[in-house]
């Protein structure tokens, strides 16, 4: 009998970084796909003209970009960051959890969030003239949203989740977060599509 959880645990032991990268890539792409489907469903629900309704056609390049960033940016950076945090602040007491969460959200998140958004927009082929104003506009709100989700999530992660599963736990939370980031970085596109169908 094949046990997928046992198989995953074994891969975390034998190939930890590769396993985390592939998992993160899959979850990153899945979060974007979910976002696209929700936007499509919402637009179709608001469209009263049945003849103008269209079939769901996901942007696979966009989903691929989220998967690529999950695999080659998010997982490796988070893997080494969590390892460094554990070495700097060992243990899992409440005080240790609070210190790690503070460092993660006060130091790491404000640097990593715009890095992710910047890389995403570069992969989309956006110009510097478009990227910088967009970052200035989107990062503050995205950071507040980040804190509302990730502070409690990281408290749970650092307090109760073993180190080898911490990236996986973050990926599970990140599924929802990636759907939000996908929506946030494509918000104007969604509005344009919705307006064009009115």
């Amino acid at each position: 009998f094949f046990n997928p959880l046992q198989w995953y645990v074994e891969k975390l032991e034998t190939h930890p970084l590769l396993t985390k990268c592939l998992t993160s890539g899959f979850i990153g792409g899945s979060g974007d796909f979910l976002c696209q489907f929700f936007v499509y469903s919402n637009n179709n629900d608001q469209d009263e003209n049945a003849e103008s309704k269209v079939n769901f056609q996901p942007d696979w390049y966009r989903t691929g970009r989220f998967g690529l960033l999950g695999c080659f940016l998010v997982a490796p950076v988070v893997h080494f960051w969590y390892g460094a945090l554990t070495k700097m602040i060992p243990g899992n007491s409440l005080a240790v959890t609070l210190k790690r969460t503070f460092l993660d959200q006060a130091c790491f998140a404000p640097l990593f969030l715009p890095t992710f958004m910047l890389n995403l927009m570069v992969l989309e082929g956006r110009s510097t003239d478009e990227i910088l104003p967009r970052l200035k506009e989107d990062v503050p709100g995205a950071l507040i949203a980040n804190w509302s989700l990730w502070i409690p999530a990281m408290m749970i992660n650092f307090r109760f989740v073993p180190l080898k599963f911490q990236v996986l736990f973050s990926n599970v939370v990140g599924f929802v977060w990636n759907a939000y980031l996908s929506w946030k970085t494509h918000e104007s596109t969604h509005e344009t599509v919705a307006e064009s169908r009115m």
Side-chain angles (χ1 to χ4, degrees), residues 29-66:
S30 299
D32 171 73
F33 184 85
L34 177 71
C35 172
Q36 291 187 54
F37 182 75
F38 280 156
V39 169
Y40 158 80
S41 298
N42 186 47
N43 288 344
N44 259 359
D45 289 345
Q46 292 177 358
D47 192 349
E48 296 175 2
N49 184 358
E51 292 178 5
S52 67
K53 292 187 178 183
V54 295
N55 292 328
F56 177 52
Q57 297 176 342
D59 180 344
W60 292 111
Y61 288 109
R62 175 176 145 178
T63 298
R65 288 188 288 267
F66 272 85

Side-chain angles (χ1 to χ4, degrees), residues 107-172:
C107 301
F108 179 76
L111 295 174
F112 188 72
L113 180 59
T115 300
F116 180 90
M117 294 172 82
L118 170 70
N119 279 278
L120 180 62
M121 288 187 264
V122 167
L123 287 175
E124 291 171 342
R126 299 190 194 194
S127 68
T128 308
D129 292 339
E130 184 183 359
I131 291 173
L132 295 179
R134 189 72 196 256
L135 286 174
K136 286 179 184 176
E137 181 183 333
D138 288 353
V139 167
L143 192 56
I144 290 168
N146 169 87
W147 287 330
S148 66
L149 175 67
W150 286 103
I151 288 176
M154 289 299 95
M155 291 286 291
I156 293 167
N157 200 14
F158 293 143
R159 177 85 168 153
F160 301 110
V161 180
L163 179 61
K164 69 180 176 182
F165 293 117
Q166 286 182 358
V167 173
L168 176 61
F169 178 86
S170 293
N171 282 335
V172 172

Side-chain angles (χ1 to χ4, degrees), residues 46-105:
Q46 292 177 358
D47 192 349
E48 296 175 2
N49 184 358
E51 292 178 5
S52 67
K53 292 187 178 183
V54 295
N55 292 328
F56 177 52
Q57 297 176 342
D59 180 344
W60 292 111
Y61 288 109
R62 175 176 145 178
T63 298
R65 288 188 288 267
F66 272 85
L68 194 70
L69 287 174
C71 186
F72 294 104
L73 175 67
V74 176
V77 170
V78 171
H79 168 80
F80 290 111
W81 170 244
Y82 288 170
L85 269 181
T86 302
K87 287 178 184 172
M88 285 189 297
I89 311 169
N92 66 346
S93 67
L94 182 57
V96 164
T97 301
L98 290 171
K99 287 176 189 173
R100 279 195 207 151
T101 303
F102 175 79
L103 283 176
D104 184 62
Q105 293 302 306

